[in-house]
Structure formats: structure tokens, C-alpha cells
Amino acid sequence: RHTRSVSAFLLNRSSDLMFGKEEAERLNNNYIGPEHLLLGLLRQGECDAVNILEKLHVDIAMLKREVEDHIRDKRLPDLGEPANDGPDLTSDAKEVLDGSVNEANFLNKSLATPVHVLLSLLKSKSLAKEFLSENFVTYRIVFDIASATQPKCE
């Protein structure tokens, strides 16, 4: 089995975190939560995670709008204003990123990809998971599809 630390994940998949950060800033949030990671994932277009959601007949634009409407201008009072380098990850978002590394390791992959982030989101106790569940997206279905496809956008 391959093992990767979260720091290796962040170095190799910084676009997931970068897109999440950009989504938080765009929506005037002072934090990066699992919902921002989901929005960042949805921005990646022709990657496995988005392709899987499309195979499951998820309306990507509508999902994106629903998540955005729910978190737009939301501020976490404990955090105050973001530092110069932008909003910080919540503990839930850190758990999702850690979980994505675990998902990659479980599938014997050396690099966590957006589909591993999606799998981790589906195991989380987050609003992002609720939005995905409302669209009938489950861990088992995504896992089965991901296991049967060749990865894109690594």
C-alpha cells in the first residue's frame, strides 16, 4: 500500500485546496469548509469526480448554486477576519483532506485526486455530504464507479 501524508497531499493536490480557498473568498466566507472543497471540486470540469456526478445525473450547476446560496456571506464568529493569506481550513475540512489521503491509500493510489476528496466528503458529517445525498450520491456508488474507471486529472 502507498502511504501519503496530508502535507504530501497538499503539495501534490494544491489545486483542490486553492480552489476551495478561492470559493471561500468569492463567497465572502472567513473559513474554508467541506462545502468550499466541494465547490472547488465542481470547478475542475472534466475530472473523474465531476464525471461520476454527471453519470449519476447530478445537475452540477444546480448543486453549485444550492451550496453557494446556503453559505454565501456566512462568517464563523470564532475565526474573525481571514489573515493576509486568506481563510483557514475548518477542522471538518481538514478531516475531509485527511480522509481523501486515506481513500487514496485504500485504493492503492500514490496520489489523492478529486475523486478521493469526493469519497471523503461522502463519509463526512458535513453540509456538503447532505447536498450530495439529496442528489442520491452515496459513498458506495461513487466508490464502485471510481474503482472501475481509469483516473483523469491526477
Side-chain angles (χ1 to χ4, degrees):
R1 284 191 181 266
H2 302 284
T3 55
R4 287 284 191 165
S5 67
V6 173
S7 59
F9 167 80
L10 293 176
L11 289 173
N12 289 310
R13 291 301 307 150
S14 60
S15 63
D16 295 319
L17 185 57
M18 180 189 69
F19 288 156
K21 178 182 173 184
E22 288 174 1
E23 291 297 325
E25 290 170 343
R26 184 178 65 80
L27 294 169
N28 192 32
N29 302 130
N30 64 342
Y31 66 97
I32 302 168
E35 298 73 33
H36 301 101
L37 297 176
L38 175 59
L39 290 171
L41 182 149
L42 295 176
R43 284 177 52 174
Q44 296 191 35
E46 292 299 315
C47 288
D48 283 344
V50 174
N51 290 338
I52 289 171
L53 293 174
E54 288 173 341
K55 277 184 186 178
L56 297 173
H57 306 287
V58 173
D59 182 332
I60 302 298
M62 187 172 76
L63 175 61
K64 189 174 183 280
R65 249 187 333 274
E66 288 172 347
V67 174
E68 289 172 344
D69 290 348
H70 195 81
I71 64 172
R72 186 179 320 281
D73 296 320
K74 183 176 177 187
R75 314 290 281 175
L76 296 181
D78 305 0
L79 296 180
E81 290 305 310
N84 288 338
D85 58 348
D88 289 327
L89 284 168
T90 64
S91 59
D92 290 341
K94 288 177 188 173
E95 284 180 30
V96 168
L97 292 177
D98 287 345
S100 67
V101 173
N102 293 336
E103 292 298 326
N105 289 336
F106 182 72
L107 292 168
N108 291 319
K109 303 295 182 187
S110 61
L111 183 66
T113 65
V115 75
H116 300 115
V117 175
L118 178 59
L119 286 166
S120 185
L121 283 167
L122 288 164
K123 281 187 169 178
S124 71
K125 294 177 182 164
S126 68
L127 184 60
K129 179 187 178 178
E130 289 179 34
F131 281 113
L132 290 165
S133 295
E134 287 171 6
N135 283 277
F136 307 102
V137 179
T138 67
Y139 178 89
R140 178 87 269 163
I141 293 170
V142 172
F143 180 87
D144 289 346
I145 295 170
S147 297
T149 59
Q150 293 298 316
K152 293 181 200 166
C153 302
E154 290 201 24

